Amino acid sequence: MAARWAIVVFSWTVAACGDDAAAGTGSDQPDAIAAVDAQVGGGVADAQPDVLDAAGADVGLPAWLTGTWLECGGDLTISQPDSATWRASGSACTVTSTLVWHAGTLDFTAVTGVGCPNGPPTWMIAGTQASFDGAQLTLVHPSLFAGLKRLSAKATRELWSVKADASGTGVMRLCFDANGVFYDGNWTSADCSFIACGSIVAQVKRVGTQTDIWTECQGSCPCTSILVATQKTATAMSGSYSSASCAQAASGTFVASAQPFP
């Protein structure tokens, strides 16, 4: 019976967020992949002229790409002519990389991490299509979760300590750009007691007076969940949740308190 319930809840949740699981706030947000395709095909990034040498090859990085970009896992600083440094939020992990820019493609090369037990971020790879829409930097590559990674120069970053009614705790990070649009998030449960050991926050939507938050994870036992916050202020959040994985399903209520973002 438990296995059957897991399949039912899992199918319902995936169906609920399948069309636009990458990001967005509000039901009128466009499909994330389509939006990125539009940006790469003819958006702001393409409108920015590359700097070319006498032979027509790209020289250095475009001006719009340089600066500090924020995501829920850390801060990425891109500097002329060809370097990047990523510092993890809340830990001593620091990653350096050389960058190569050519025809809209950004290569992270010579990626080196110090104090990073889990290694460098998986999105610091070669061959990513990079674009900027005025608010978010988007990196697109087939190997990335959902096919893309987003960062923003200006952001509101939230850190929530979450507790289930029965048992289990977790930590959730949510990132919103300067326009209040959700673009990045993650979930961790140190003892794997609630929702999942680790997952991404795929989407946050404001629906009337409630806030819906979806999480997803991949691997040998994929998982998904939805947290429905019927109350959400700057300091507290509460509501109900449903989660499912290949092993089990669970549901109940939760409370959360805001913590300082590291």
Side-chain angles (χ1 to χ4, degrees), residues 117-129:
N118 298 319
T122 56
W123 47 266
M124 296 183 73
I125 56 178
T128 61
Q129 293 292 316

Side-chain angles (χ1 to χ4, degrees), residues 46-91:
D46 292 328
Q48 302 293 332
D50 292 343
V51 179
L52 307 178
D53 63 14
D58 293 335
V59 176
L61 305 173
W64 59 265
L65 187 59
T66 61
T68 297
W69 302 94
L70 310 177
E71 48 118 4
C72 281
D75 304 347
L76 175 69
T77 300
I78 296 178
S79 305
Q80 295 284 6
D82 60 356
S83 65
T85 301
W86 182 82
R87 293 180 175 83
S89 299
S91 80

Side-chain angles (χ1 to χ4, degrees), residues 24 47 51 55 57 96 98 128 168 172 179 207 217 222 250:
V51 179
T96 58
T98 300
T128 61
M172 181 165 57
N179 298 318
V207 182
C217 69

Side-chain angles (χ1 to χ4, degrees), residues 14-210:
V14 170
C17 61
D19 289 341
D20 51 359
T25 56
S27 58
D28 59 344
Q29 289 298 322
D31 178 81
I33 301 296
V36 170
D37 288 343
Q39 292 166 18
V40 173
V44 174
D46 292 328
Q48 302 293 332
D50 292 343
V51 179
L52 307 178
D53 63 14
D58 293 335
V59 176
L61 305 173
W64 59 265
L65 187 59
T66 61
T68 297
W69 302 94
L70 310 177
E71 48 118 4
C72 281
D75 304 347
L76 175 69
T77 300
I78 296 178
S79 305
Q80 295 284 6
D82 60 356
S83 65
T85 301
W86 182 82
R87 293 180 175 83
S89 299
S91 80
C93 172
T94 299
V95 179
T96 58
S97 171
T98 300
L99 298 178
V100 178
W101 171 263
H102 48 94
T105 301
L106 184 65
D107 293 342
F108 291 87
T109 64
V111 179
T112 303
V114 177
C116 307
N118 298 319
T122 56
W123 47 266
M124 296 183 73
I125 56 178
T128 61
Q129 293 292 316
S131 64
F132 177 58
D133 64 1
Q136 298 177 15
L137 169 66
T138 302
L139 305 177
V140 180
H141 192 280
S143 69
L144 303 180
F145 197 110
L148 55 85
K149 174 65 181 178
R150 287 191 175 97
L151 305 95
S152 183
K154 297 181 180 180
T156 297
R157 298 191 286 187
E158 301 176 355
L159 176 64
W160 295 92
S161 176
V162 188
K163 183 178 181 180
D165 57 339
S167 63
T169 60
V171 174
M172 181 165 57
R173 289 184 170 94
L174 304 176
C175 288
F176 303 86
D177 69 15
N179 298 318
V181 178
F182 170 80
Y183 70 91
D184 188 42
N186 59 64
W187 167 272
T188 57
S189 176
D191 58 0
C192 303
S193 61
F194 185 24
I195 294 181
C197 300
S199 61
I200 69 163
V201 176
Q203 187 181 73
V204 177
K205 279 189 175 182
R206 184 76 174 178
V207 182
T209 59
Q210 72 185 35

